[in-house]
């Protein structure tokens, strides 16, 4: 393999690796909310959620997730958990009806 071919192959490999790393490392396609927002859940329900701007309170009928139990990505451990559990207006966790 001549020098020109090696440079072309090496360049292609580096560009491909950089593309794969950036797509995997910085993907937010499955994030619960966009940057600058946090997820909230509907009170006494497993059927609703919303994203609220950081610094704002949840709207009426919604609550913050209990500390340490907030999902970050679709179908992660906590997203799956909250499909079968809910919170009441006081923040008490219970199994969904």
């Amino acid at each position: 393999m001549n020098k020109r071919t090696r440079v072309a192959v090496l360049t292609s490999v580096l560009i491909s690796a950089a593309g794969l790393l950036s797509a995997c490392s910085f993907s937010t396609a499955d994030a619960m909310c966009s940057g600058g927002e946090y997820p909230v859940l509907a009170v006494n329900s497993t059927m609703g959620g919303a994203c609220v701007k950081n610094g704002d309170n949840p709207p009426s009928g919604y609550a913050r997730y209990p500390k340490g139990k907030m999902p970050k990505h679709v179908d992660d451990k906590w997203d799956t958990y909250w499909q079968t559990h809910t919170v009441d207006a006081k923040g008490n966790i219970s199994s969904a009806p």
Side-chain angles (χ1 to χ4, degrees), residues 10-78:
L10 180 60
T11 302
S12 295
V13 168
L14 290 174
I15 290 171
S16 297
L20 287 172
L21 287 174
S22 66
C24 295
S25 300
F26 303 109
S27 175
T28 58
D30 64 345
M32 294 300 289
C33 294
S34 298
E37 298 178 323
Y38 67 95
V40 294
L41 72 161
V43 173
N44 293 318
S45 175
T46 60
M47 299 302 293
C51 293
V52 177
K53 184 178 172 185
N54 289 345
D56 289 354
N57 289 321
S60 179
Y62 290 85
R64 294 178 188 268
Y65 284 93
K67 187 173 181 169
K69 296 184 178 186
M70 180 176 67
K72 294 182 179 165
H73 296 91
V74 175
D75 292 330
D76 71 9
K77 171 185 170 180
W78 292 115

Side-chain angles (χ1 to χ4, degrees), residues 1-11:
M1 201 174 349
N2 66 31
K3 184 177 180 180
R4 178 178 273 173
T5 304
R6 278 184 281 168
V7 169
V9 170
L10 180 60
T11 302

